[in-house]
Amino acid sequence: MTKESVIELLTKKDAQKKKSRTPARLDFLQSATGAVLALFILFHLIFESSILLGKDSMYHLTKAFEAEFIIDGGEPLIITGLAFVVFMIFILHAAIAMRKFPASYSEYKSYKTHRELIQHSDTNLWFIQISSGFVMFFLGSIHLYIMMTQPQNIGPFASSDRIYSDVMWPMYLMLLVSVVLHAGVGIYRLIIKWGLLDGENPRANRIRSRAVVKGFVVFYLMIGLFSLGTYIKIGYEHRDDYGQKYTLEQK
Ligand code: HEM
């Protein structure tokens, strides 16, 4: 091969690379799966905090998800299906996000130096997001697998027994902090990246968006922590009857 033909080949390849839509498509897919998961988690933490209103409320909500209004006694397999779909989106989102992880120790070191040098708050947010994402990779998978395979064990007593007697509360505590931070930072970055709330004055709106997202993070952390505390309390009181399911006659 002559020098000229090698140059021609490389230039062609470069042009093809430039035309490739794959990075843009992956970027969009990452945003879209992230938005679906964030929306899911916002509703999830609210539904799950129904325990704060009492055991009956959580029981009725669980049964509603099992479609008790049309299927006598409810069907936990519906939860298996839902958890499976969420798990698939979760895996897809994580797989696409992996390309943003530092690929080597030297890459990580140069990022660290860059972070210390410029002290840019959005760079720090990126760090929060990859570390919380890393934690969720493991803990989210454990949780989703249990929800998928034991959907019949969801309810005021079954959930509390799992959290207290099966000592799942440390895992939930770490998962709660990671998911709320990850979703909060993710939503903020989506707003910025796609210019969703730019309006007339993007700079001022960016600061406003940041404050609103911070408020959401604190709110969701609070309801998550209070709910977890309530499950722990119920689990502690129920420890001698571990495994016994809740019925509406029991209080
Ligand atoms: C369809 C899928 C899902 C179902 C059916 C589900 C269901 C539940 C249930 C019933 C609980 C109460 C504790 C228990 O029974 O073990 C719970 C707690 C929790 N879930 Fe999920 N979950 C799902 C997906 C997720 C995902 C994808 C995440 C985040 C990655 C997540 C994060 C959490 C957290 C952080 C808690 C503890 C909340 C607190 O501290 O109050 N869940 N989930």
Side-chain angles (χ1 to χ4, degrees):
M1 229 181 208
T2 62
K3 197 178 161 193
E4 285 71 27
S5 56
V6 172
I7 293 176
E8 196 184 331
L9 195 74
L10 288 178
T11 320
K12 240 189 217 165
K13 276 205 168 159
D14 216 34
Q16 270 170 0
K17 231 194 248 166
K18 270 186 200 137
K19 262 193 255 157
S20 169
R21 292 228 179 102
T22 313
R25 286 207 183 107
L26 285 179
D27 240 25
F28 176 74
L29 202 57
Q30 181 165 16
S31 295
T33 48
V36 170
L37 288 170
L39 206 64
F40 169 82
I41 215 70
L42 295 186
F43 280 104
H44 173 8
L45 292 181
I46 296 284
F47 289 148
E48 198 251 326
S49 71
S50 57
I51 198 69
L52 295 174
L53 302 176
K55 298 184 193 92
D56 281 3
S57 307
M58 197 235 171
Y59 177 85
H60 285 303
L61 195 65
T62 307
K63 287 292 163 195
F65 272 102
E66 293 176 7
E68 197 189 35
F69 45 92
I70 37 171
I71 305 168
D72 200 26
E75 179 50 76
L77 272 179
I78 296 173
I79 307 298
T80 300
L82 180 66
F84 179 78
V85 173
V86 174
F87 212 173
M88 290 303 112
I89 304 174
F90 182 79
I91 291 172
L92 180 64
H93 181 74
I96 309 169
M98 268 172 59
R99 80 209 142 102
K100 301 268 173 80
F101 271 67
S104 63
Y105 183 64
S106 68
E107 213 175 287
Y108 169 72
K109 283 285 277 187
S110 75
Y111 156 72
K112 235 180 124 219
T113 320
H114 172 80
R115 191 165 81 119
E116 281 156 9
L117 262 175
I118 61 169
Q119 276 301 325
H120 184 251
S121 52
D122 281 7
T123 316
N124 292 335
L125 287 185
W126 178 80
F127 187 69
I128 293 179
Q129 218 180 6
I130 58 159
S131 20
S132 57
F134 186 73
V135 171
M136 278 166 61
F137 202 77
F138 302 100
L139 305 186
S141 299
I142 297 173
H143 176 49
L144 279 164
Y145 190 78
I146 295 175
M147 291 300 116
M148 227 166 73
T149 53
Q150 300 175 24
Q152 73 286 6
N153 290 339
I154 295 176
F157 284 159
S159 294
S160 304
D161 283 349
R162 176 170 31 248
I163 287 174
Y164 179 75
S165 297
D166 293 346
V167 203
M168 289 291 276
W169 64 265
M171 195 223 55
Y172 278 125
L173 187 60
M174 288 187 279
L175 183 60
L176 175 72
V177 175
S178 314
V179 79
V180 172
L181 285 179
H182 194 85
V185 173
I187 292 170
Y188 172 72
R189 284 162 58 101
L190 276 183
I191 295 173
I192 302 303
K193 180 168 186 169
W194 302 101
L196 299 180
L197 302 175
D198 275 1
E200 301 274 291
N201 189 347
R203 207 180 144 75
N205 287 335
R206 195 175 173 144
I207 295 168
R208 211 168 294 148
S209 307
R210 202 179 248 261
V212 172
V213 171
K214 261 191 196 158
F216 265 94
V217 166
V218 172
F219 172 75
Y220 273 92
L221 273 178
M222 293 314 277
I223 59 161
L225 288 174
F226 278 119
S227 309
L228 196 57
T230 309
Y231 284 113
I232 293 174
K233 181 176 174 283
I234 298 171
Y236 175 75
E237 288 162 359
H238 193 247
R239 67 194 183 284
D240 294 333
D241 297 312
Y242 175 87
Q244 177 207 59
K245 294 273 172 72
Y246 186 77
T247 55
L248 284 176
E249 291 77 47
Q250 283 166 309
K251 298 277 165 180

